[in-house]
Amino acid sequence: MDDASIDPPLSGICAGFESGQWRTRQLAKRLFDDVIDFALSYSERQEFNSDTGMLMVGRAMRKIYTSEKYARRGEFGELLLHVALREVFKTETALSKIYFKDGSNETVKGFDAVHIVDNGTGLELWLGEVKFYNRLSGAIRDVVAELHDHIDSEYLRGEFLAVEGKIDRSWKHAPKLLSMIHEDVSLDEIFESITIPVLLTYDSPAVAARVAELSGDPNKGSSDTKEAYRAAFEEEVRKGWDSFVAAGLPRKVRIRLILVPLHLKKELVDALHERLKLWQEVTA
């Protein structure tokens, strides 16, 4: 569901169901379809072809992480945010945060996504935040605190300085973006072109109830029960929006809330880890 009439605008994304189950493995596969765009630089992506493909896929997979201690890592949340922005909002990757890891298991601070939208008259800078959690209350608490910290003038100037040093100069939008975030440009002016998409996940009661319903009766796939689920999903997502707004949002920039209710975060993380390790073995 999508509602652009409220402030901040709200989007709710569901992976759907198949054979009575939430589409955990299908979502994991879909996320890895975008791993090249997520994990490699612009110049590297231009060199991707039939001769270099497997080498680059392996490089991208190892960029995510190589650790077995993966349950609390944030890279899969960043990948989910990346795919949601590209798929739903048609953004373009300005830089791959993960590309700049010093080591495969290190973390990189800063915004979780740096994308742009070319609206025909100029660039919109989308600086994403994600909390890949199993409880919505904790996700809201932590992300709202970060939102206030991250729009602080000193923090933003430091972030823009880091972005300037990492933007691939061969990318066609590089000159315009670098000009837009230059230190001589007032932050008041830059704020007019910034959107902060906030993606939050959580283990969803509405999704769990639908899984239980489908597992109890395979004939529950009728149009009436689908509509009942859609209504329950939307009601839950709108309540999440209410809690997000009530937490006290900063007002300087445009925020867009993206809620992704999950069946079980742990199952999705395990499926993503399994696929990651398989790709790493295949391309070793």
Side-chain angles (χ1 to χ4, degrees):
M1 58 86 55
D2 189 77
D3 188 346
S5 69
I6 54 179
D7 183 25
L10 169 65
S11 297
I13 300 174
C14 179
F17 300 85
E18 185 173 303
S19 300
Q21 297 296 317
W22 194 72
R23 290 163 51 91
T24 299
R25 292 193 174 277
Q26 293 89 338
L27 176 58
K29 179 181 183 301
R30 174 63 190 88
L31 296 184
F32 274 101
D33 287 345
D34 267 24
V35 74
I36 295 298
D37 189 60
F38 171 67
L40 298 183
S41 70
Y42 174 80
S43 292
E44 283 182 320
R45 297 196 301 271
Q46 304 316 298
E47 297 171 3
F48 189 92
N49 56 47
S50 58
D51 294 326
T52 65
M54 288 302 288
L55 176 65
M56 288 192 164
V57 169
R59 185 181 303 170
M61 294 298 176
R62 286 185 290 276
K63 276 286 183 182
I64 296 176
Y65 66 76
T66 56
S67 172
E68 289 300 320
K69 297 179 179 180
Y70 61 90
R72 297 179 64 85
R73 298 191 65 89
E75 289 90 348
F76 290 145
E78 294 168 13
L79 177 57
L80 177 59
L81 171 64
H82 172 89
V83 172
L85 294 182
R86 298 276 286 127
E87 180 93 358
V88 179
F89 303 103
K90 311 306 179 186
T91 65
E92 184 175 342
T93 309
L95 64 84
S96 171
K97 170 184 171 181
I98 204 169
Y99 175 79
F100 296 97
K101 280 187 175 184
D102 294 325
S104 61
N105 297 318
E106 299 297 321
T107 57
V108 181
K109 295 182 178 180
F111 287 101
D112 295 318
V114 182
H115 287 209
I116 61 100
V117 172
D118 185 353
N119 59 25
T121 59
L123 298 184
E124 299 173 13
L125 179 58
W126 285 49
L127 301 172
E129 298 278 10
V130 60
K131 293 300 174 193
F132 190 38
Y133 284 20
N134 59 7
R135 291 182 60 86
L136 184 57
S137 58
I140 290 173
R141 178 196 64 229
D142 290 352
V143 83
V144 169
E146 285 193 3
L147 287 173
H148 285 282
D149 289 343
H150 287 186
I151 66 164
D152 174 78
S153 296
E154 185 174 344
Y155 182 93
L156 274 178
R157 285 299 185 192
E159 188 72 3
F160 291 155
L161 185 62
V163 168
E164 286 177 347
K166 295 172 181 176
I167 289 291
D168 193 320
R169 267 51 178 181
S170 64
W171 180 47
K172 66 179 181 179
H173 293 299
K176 188 177 291 187
L177 179 56
L178 291 170
S179 175
M180 186 173 78
I181 63 174
H182 192 274
E183 62 182 354
D184 289 341
V185 180
S186 168
L187 281 177
D188 293 339
E189 183 177 340
I190 298 174
F191 277 136
E192 296 176 1
S193 301
I194 292 178
T195 294
I196 300 184
V198 175
L199 188 150
L200 307 178
T201 72
Y202 61 96
D203 291 353
S204 163
V207 172
R210 180 59 172 163
V211 170
E213 182 181 46
L214 290 172
S215 64
D217 182 352
N219 296 318
K220 288 288 188 178
S222 68
S223 59
D224 288 344
T225 62
K226 287 179 181 177
E227 285 304 316
Y229 168 68
R230 290 191 183 99
F233 178 89
E234 180 169 344
E235 180 181 6
E236 181 180 283
V237 166
R238 289 191 182 277
K239 285 181 178 178
W241 181 91
D242 289 339
S243 297
F244 180 67
V245 172
L249 304 178
R251 307 304 302 176
K252 289 183 180 180
V253 293
R254 290 187 300 274
I255 295 171
R256 177 178 283 273
L257 179 61
I258 307 165
L259 294 180
V260 185
L262 309 176
H263 181 215
L264 292 170
K265 179 202 167 187
K266 183 182 184 304
E267 287 186 357
L268 178 57
V269 171
D270 288 347
L272 287 162
H273 178 74
E274 179 183 324
R275 185 167 289 272
L276 175 66
K277 300 309 289 184
L278 178 62
W279 272 109
Q280 288 176 345
E281 291 171 4
V282 168
T283 57

